Amino acid sequence: MVEPALGTLDSAAGIGAAGRKLHIAFRSPQQLRAFNTPYQLGRAPDSGDAPDDRFETPQDASLVRVPVRPGDILVLATDGLFDNVDEEALLDLIEGLLTEGSGTGASPQQLADAIAARAKELSLDKSVDSPFAILAKDNDILWGGGRPDDITVLVSHILDRADARAPPTDWAAVSGPGEPPPELLEAEALLAAERLAAEARTASGLGAEREEEEEVERLEEEARVGASR
């Protein structure tokens, strides 16, 4: 997760290069069996109904809950991104896109497209060692350049909504498995109730708008019938 340099959610993240407005506030933990052997959900055809030790299950996933603040940018991606683009380069790319042009910056979709395109470009570059290549050498594996792989990137921008209940500020990022703090569960329940209420208000407004349209159509039809007589 990227946020303006106003603080950090994990002490190891620190502040980035001098003058940079963004820094890494939280990074999810990697889940690997070994180098280049990430956890994988799946089931082989020959396993039947028996547990399959060759794959992980949803219960093996690390459950992560992180408090956010307005202005935060969330980047969720497959290893096709992180194997090819290091964090400093990712921050430089995002910051440049957010400040270019008229100052309005890039949308989340534009950020995701640009990040994925840069990851693909670097994955095919054999002249510069990627994060994957550096880790490979640390594991006594000869590898140079990028790491071609599937690349999926999702970007979200946390907005400041006056009608939204703020998350609790007195707890740190939570990484499971395990139960989150009661304060977070209560906040999540309140947010869910507010979302349902907002959806109900929207549905009610759409219903009233449709009734008004039907009334206009009825009056227009009566006017046409009267004119034809």
Side-chain angles (χ1 to χ4, degrees):
M1 185 173 73
V2 180
E3 70 170 12
L6 301 175
T8 178
L9 297 178
D10 62 337
S11 57
I15 301 298
R20 176 176 287 143
K21 297 179 181 179
L22 301 176
H23 74 281
I24 303 297
F26 179 83
R27 62 180 64 80
S28 59
Q30 292 191 63
Q31 291 192 278
L32 304 170
R33 291 194 176 197
F35 171 71
N36 200 28
T37 312
Y39 280 17
Q40 296 189 69
L41 291 174
R43 180 176 292 276
D46 59 359
S47 64
D49 295 329
D52 193 337
D53 293 337
R54 292 168 292 182
F55 297 94
E56 279 69 41
T57 69
Q59 287 70 36
D60 295 314
S62 175
L63 178 63
V64 178
R65 290 179 171 87
V66 184
V68 296
R69 65 181 66 182
D72 286 351
I73 299 169
L74 275 63
V75 179
L76 291 79
T78 60
D79 53 2
L81 169 63
F82 300 110
D83 281 350
N84 291 293
V85 184
D86 63 39
E87 290 183 353
E88 293 298 311
L90 182 60
L91 286 172
D92 288 341
L93 176 59
I94 293 174
E95 190 161 304
L97 290 167
L98 289 177
T99 57
E100 69 181 7
S102 62
T104 56
S107 68
Q109 182 63 60
Q110 291 170 324
L111 286 174
D113 290 344
I115 291 170
R118 182 57 175 160
K120 179 181 179 182
E121 178 184 350
L122 291 175
S123 73
L124 303 175
D125 188 343
K126 298 184 182 298
S127 65
V128 179
D129 274 352
S130 61
F132 178 87
I134 295 171
L135 286 174
K137 291 181 174 66
D138 289 342
N139 286 270
D140 298 323
I141 299 173
L142 185 60
W143 188 284
R147 162 72 168 168
D149 200 353
D150 58 296
I151 300 169
T152 301
V153 180
L154 299 176
V155 175
S156 298
H157 192 190
I158 305 302
L159 302 178
D160 185 4
R161 294 186 55 188
D163 61 342
R165 183 177 297 275
T169 58
D170 57 349
W171 57 276
V174 179
S175 179
E179 285 297 318
E183 296 83 0
L184 178 58
L185 292 175
E186 180 181 354
E188 288 179 341
L190 289 171
L191 286 171
E194 289 178 356
R195 282 194 295 268
L196 289 174
E199 291 172 0
R201 289 193 297 270
T202 300
S204 176
L206 291 175
E209 182 178 342
R210 181 56 187 160
E211 289 178 1
E212 183 177 345
E213 291 175 352
E214 291 175 349
E215 178 65 14
V216 170
E217 291 173 357
R218 184 184 65 81
L219 293 174
E220 290 176 345
E221 179 63 23
E222 290 181 353
R224 285 194 294 271
V225 171
S228 64
R229 293 174 183 172

